[in-house]
Amino acid sequence: MNRLLYTAMLAGFVAFSPLADAIGAEENSYTLGNLVIEGPWSRETASSARNGAGFLSIENQGSEDDRLVAASSSAAGHVELHTHLMDGGVMRMRQVEAIEVPAGETVTLQPGGLHLMLMDLPEPLVEGQEIRIELVFEKSGTTEISMPVANIAADSGGHGKGHGMNKSKQ
Ligand SMILES: [Cu+2]
């Protein structure tokens, strides 16, 4: 798509969105069956960055375990489910097959932990933008959410501005 057109459409979308003046607002909440998805946010990316990350929390109010098994976004080539693991004193990201959402529990995707990995970004993520993310759950099905893009310095969980690939390497 023509970039100017895209930018214009995006500006229109943001202007008419009730979230336009509440970027990163934690009250941004979605219900899917027994699941409540809250506070989705992403972080702007450097123009050279190929990947970004998405964060949110998922509360399972039901009595049956569920799992997040896939995600996708028009803002990314593809989306992977990632976690962080310590490996020889270095924190590394690793793709996981699914993110468990046990009955009665809340799972939080956050910097330094579980996250959505937005791979092969066609365009950098820009602060103030909102990207659409489709989430696929094994039992509850599929939903689409809007994910505001926050400043690059937004709550990094003390892990610096990077994505945590080598954060313990000084
Ligand atoms: Cu990752």
Side-chain angles (χ1 to χ4, degrees):
M1 192 187 300
N2 174 293
R3 179 168 183 157
L4 269 179
L5 178 60
Y6 176 76
T7 304
M9 288 173 61
L10 187 66
F13 175 71
V14 171
F16 289 106
S17 164
L19 300 168
D21 55 359
I23 299 301
E26 260 65 42
E27 56 271 25
N28 188 0
S29 174
Y30 301 82
T31 300
L32 175 68
N34 290 318
L35 303 181
V36 180
I37 297 153
E38 287 193 311
W41 66 284
S42 185
R43 197 154 46 192
E44 65 179 340
T45 57
S47 56
S48 58
R50 296 190 57 207
N51 304 325
F55 313 104
L56 47 83
S57 70
I58 308 160
E59 180 184 5
N60 185 346
Q61 299 181 334
S63 55
E64 196 177 23
D65 295 346
D66 206 343
R67 316 160 82 208
L68 176 63
V69 292
S72 62
S73 174
S74 55
H78 67 285
V79 179
E80 294 181 354
L81 310 177
H82 277 196
T83 191
H84 278 90
L85 293 173
M86 285 301 284
D87 176 12
V90 178
M91 190 68 94
R92 296 185 190 281
M93 295 191 297
R94 179 174 298 176
Q95 187 175 4
V96 294
E97 187 184 317
I99 293 175
E100 308 291 333
V101 190
E105 294 190 20
T106 299
V107 174
T108 303
L109 282 63
Q110 58 193 343
L114 293 163
H115 55 281
L116 303 176
M117 195 80 202
L118 311 174
M119 311 288 289
D120 299 326
L121 300 173
E123 308 263 353
L125 301 180
V126 179
E127 182 183 3
Q129 181 184 3
E130 296 202 17
I131 58 177
R132 306 293 296 179
I133 303 273
E134 187 184 73
L135 301 172
V136 182
F137 293 89
E138 191 172 76
K139 304 228 172 72
S140 300
T142 299
T143 190
E144 192 178 61
I145 64 169
S146 180
M147 178 175 273
V149 178
N151 186 274
I152 201 162
D155 178 26
S156 60
H159 296 143
K161 291 179 179 176
H163 190 57
M165 286 292 275
N166 294 301
K167 71 182 185 60
S168 63
K169 197 158 71 178
Q170 297 300 319

